[in-house]
Amino acid sequence: MYRWLLASMLVLPGGCQQSGPPSTPLFAGIEGMAYRRGEAMIRDRIEARQMRGNPERALISYLETQGLQIDRNRKSASVKFGGPLCGSRVRIDWETDRTGKVATMFVVYGDTGCL
C-alpha cells in the first residue's frame, strides 16, 4: 500500500516537480547556497529591517509577505521547498517581551531530511 501511495505521489502532475524558495527579496539568491551561508544571509536581511524592538505584528506581517507560513502559537514561521521527498526548510522563531515587542529571533535553514 505504501509503495502505491509513494508511486502515485510521483506520477501525479507536479509530483516530481522541483520547487524553489519563495520569489521574494528575503530569499533572493539562497537557492543552492550552503545552509550556513544562506542562514546568515536571511538573518542579516531580517536584521536590516530592524525587526527587534518592534511590535510582533510587524514581524508577522513582513514574514507573511515574504512567503512564510506563520504559527502564532509557537511564535514561528517556516517555508519548505525543493523536491517532493527531500528539500530545504527555513524556520524563523522569535520571542517577545511583556509588551509584545520582538526581543529575540532565531533563523534555521537546513534540509528537511528524506522520507
Side-chain angles (χ1 to χ4, degrees):
M1 177 165 157
Y2 292 111
R3 284 186 193 174
W4 180 85
L5 180 61
L6 180 58
S8 67
M9 286 174 34
L10 296 175
V11 173
L12 289 174
C16 292
Q17 216 168 18
Q18 293 284 329
S19 68
S23 298
T24 59
L26 182 61
F27 296 103
I30 70 159
E31 189 170 21
M33 184 178 286
Y35 287 125
R36 283 188 184 192
R37 191 163 170 227
E39 186 175 287
M41 184 182 288
I42 293 167
R43 186 179 310 107
D44 290 347
R45 289 174 178 172
I46 294 173
E47 292 287 331
R49 295 193 60 90
Q50 300 176 343
M51 292 294 179
R52 283 196 185 134
N54 282 318
E56 178 183 32
R57 69 182 176 280
L59 175 63
I60 289 171
S61 176
Y62 171 69
L63 295 176
E64 283 178 327
T65 65
Q66 296 304 303
L68 288 98
Q69 294 180 341
I70 308 297
D71 183 336
R72 293 175 194 268
N73 293 329
R74 293 186 178 175
K75 296 186 183 290
S76 183
S78 64
V79 65
K80 293 180 185 177
F81 54 92
L85 300 178
C86 300
S88 298
R89 178 179 183 186
V90 173
R91 191 181 82 233
I92 300 168
D93 298 324
W94 64 90
E95 295 175 351
T96 56
D97 64 18
R98 67 182 185 279
T99 66
K101 294 185 179 177
V102 178
T104 58
M105 283 183 292
F106 309 93
V107 176
V108 178
Y109 175 37
D111 67 49
T112 59
C114 297
L115 298 177

